[in-house]
Amino acid sequence: GRTGGTAQVQLHQALALHQQGQLEEAQRIYEAILRIQPRSFDALHLLGVIANQSNDPQRGATLIAKAIAIHPNFAIFHFNHGNALMALGQATLAAASFRRAIRLQPDYVGAHFNLGNMLVELGQTEAAISSYDQALALEPNQDGICDAAARLGGAVHIGSASATLIRMPRCTPKPIWRR
């Protein structure tokens, strides 16, 4: 109906402001949309993202969980929910969110990478390496992923794990400068 069209226009305005870093303006519009359409999963999700960006991951997690309850099949919702949980130090729950994002979108580089980070925190080194490796298969030579894998390599010298890292062919070795 009429309100749906208006909400769509408002959502586009808010998203443009959000992308320009004008978070307070964007937040005001998302909240206005939710007053008219309380089940607008886009507004709930994006308001949750703003909460994450504003160092309020608890509110972010709550809002994004509401969006997921309404529309569970968007990988980005699970990814951003995982980011909120990660900021709250809830590594197990965050890993589960990143896994759901990957199930919905297997080529989601960020979800593979963040899952790897959570698995490192949980002490699941082999699984972390596998996640980083999948991220690199999708985006070779991605510096952040290679650096994370290298840090893991510095911390791990057991059996197959260190062997796996040594053979991370998707990372170009950085030159080591000597004096």
Side-chain angles (χ1 to χ4, degrees):
R2 181 80 192 93
T3 55
T6 311
Q8 237 4 74
V9 170
Q10 283 183 305
L11 192 65
H12 283 292
Q13 285 174 328
L15 191 54
L17 290 164
H18 191 162
Q19 288 168 334
Q20 292 160 20
Q22 296 178 42
L23 302 186
E24 284 173 30
E25 270 302 290
Q27 179 171 333
R28 207 176 47 71
I29 298 171
Y30 294 142
E31 287 168 347
I33 293 168
L34 288 169
R35 280 194 290 279
I36 303 160
Q37 294 186 330
R39 288 178 56 82
S40 167
F41 49 82
D42 284 320
L44 284 164
H45 168 243
L46 293 165
L47 200 52
V49 170
I50 285 181
N52 286 353
Q53 290 172 303
S54 309
N55 296 317
D56 190 355
Q58 188 62 65
R59 181 163 187 256
T62 303
L63 287 162
I64 297 170
K66 286 181 185 174
I68 290 170
I70 298 164
H71 202 309
N73 294 325
F74 281 136
I76 194 166
F77 288 12
H78 294 281
F79 177 72
N80 284 321
H81 192 235
N83 288 337
L85 294 166
M86 184 164 69
L88 290 166
Q90 298 178 8
T92 304
L93 293 174
S97 284
F98 295 133
R99 283 195 175 102
R100 282 192 286 276
I102 291 163
R103 237 191 334 275
L104 291 164
Q105 189 184 325
D107 66 350
Y108 205 141
V109 176
H112 284 287
F113 179 60
N114 284 5
L115 175 57
N117 291 340
M118 291 302 89
L119 292 169
V120 170
E121 269 191 41
L122 294 166
Q124 298 175 26
T125 308
E126 291 282 349
I129 290 168
S130 165
S131 284
Y132 290 147
D133 209 43
Q134 284 176 295
L136 285 165
L138 295 163
E139 208 170 299
N141 265 325
Q142 222 280 349
D143 279 347
I145 303 169
C146 291
D147 292 346
R151 277 196 305 279
L152 193 53
V156 178
H157 301 289
I158 41 162
S160 60
S162 54
T164 310
L165 277 167
I166 291 160
R167 64 161 186 76
M168 283 211 116
R170 296 190 182 96
C171 293
T172 308
K174 303 264 187 304
I176 297 164
W177 300 107
R178 299 189 196 290
R179 279 233 260 276

